[in-house]
Amino acid sequence: MSDQADLIAKLSEATVGSRELDRELAERFGWKFHGNLRFWMKPDWWTPLEAIEGLPHFTTSVDATLALIEKRLPGWSPSIVKVLHEPVWMGEVVSPDLDEDDISEVGADGSAATPALALCIAILNALQDQQIDAALKPEGGET
């Protein structure tokens, strides 16, 4: 299993978010922990004050997860739905390139015990799909 598949499995199996899962997500998205200085550095910081920030609560805060979607999947539309009569939430992110004639490939989803966890899985699935699509495209062009 890949690191990403392992992380998705952990998120799927979790009953609640945790700081450990937040750390794994942050590292997956390029954050670095500077142990001797005891702070997390964002991957896209511009000034030292922007770099020093507390680690977001990706797995427990829908707001933090939505901010991650805005950053990693600009223009994508998130949604969260509670599955009736089940202790499960569905998270989905939909591409801005939605082709109304072919809605089979509209984005990515994920299911988990909480809304934030479900959205985290959807983000990882969408990014994985983008990597696969990029690898399948012939050089210099369209598919």
Side-chain angles (χ1 to χ4, degrees):
M1 219 184 251
S2 71
D3 289 343
Q4 179 142 325
D6 288 341
L7 181 53
I8 289 172
K10 287 179 186 178
L11 293 166
S12 296
E13 294 166 4
T15 56
V16 295
S18 70
R19 293 310 277 161
E20 177 63 23
L21 289 171
D22 291 337
R23 182 192 61 75
E24 289 188 49
L25 275 166
E27 289 174 348
R28 170 71 181 87
F29 292 117
W31 289 60
K32 303 278 187 237
F33 183 70
H34 296 274
N36 56 339
L37 300 175
R38 312 275 310 146
F39 69 85
W40 284 89
M41 185 175 288
K42 296 187 293 185
D44 57 351
W45 62 278
W46 295 101
T47 67
L49 284 179
E50 287 180 329
I52 300 171
E53 185 174 298
L55 187 63
H57 294 262
F58 297 122
T59 61
T60 58
S61 168
V62 171
D63 288 341
T65 310
L66 292 174
L68 183 60
I69 291 169
E70 287 178 18
K71 187 68 175 170
R72 297 304 302 238
L73 298 167
W76 287 55
S77 300
S79 66
I80 308 167
V81 177
K82 172 74 170 83
V83 177
L84 283 176
H85 310 296
E86 298 287 332
V88 175
W89 289 84
M90 294 294 300
E92 181 179 51
V93 288
V94 178
S95 170
D97 301 326
L98 172 64
D99 180 356
E100 292 182 15
D101 295 328
D102 178 18
I103 60 170
S104 63
E105 298 295 324
V106 297
D109 60 15
S111 61
T114 69
L117 288 169
L119 281 174
C120 288
I121 294 168
I123 295 166
L124 291 171
N125 284 332
L127 292 171
Q128 183 174 0
D129 290 348
Q130 284 183 338
Q131 290 170 350
I132 291 169
D133 289 348
L136 294 176
K137 277 190 180 175
E139 279 190 43
E142 308 211 356
T143 56

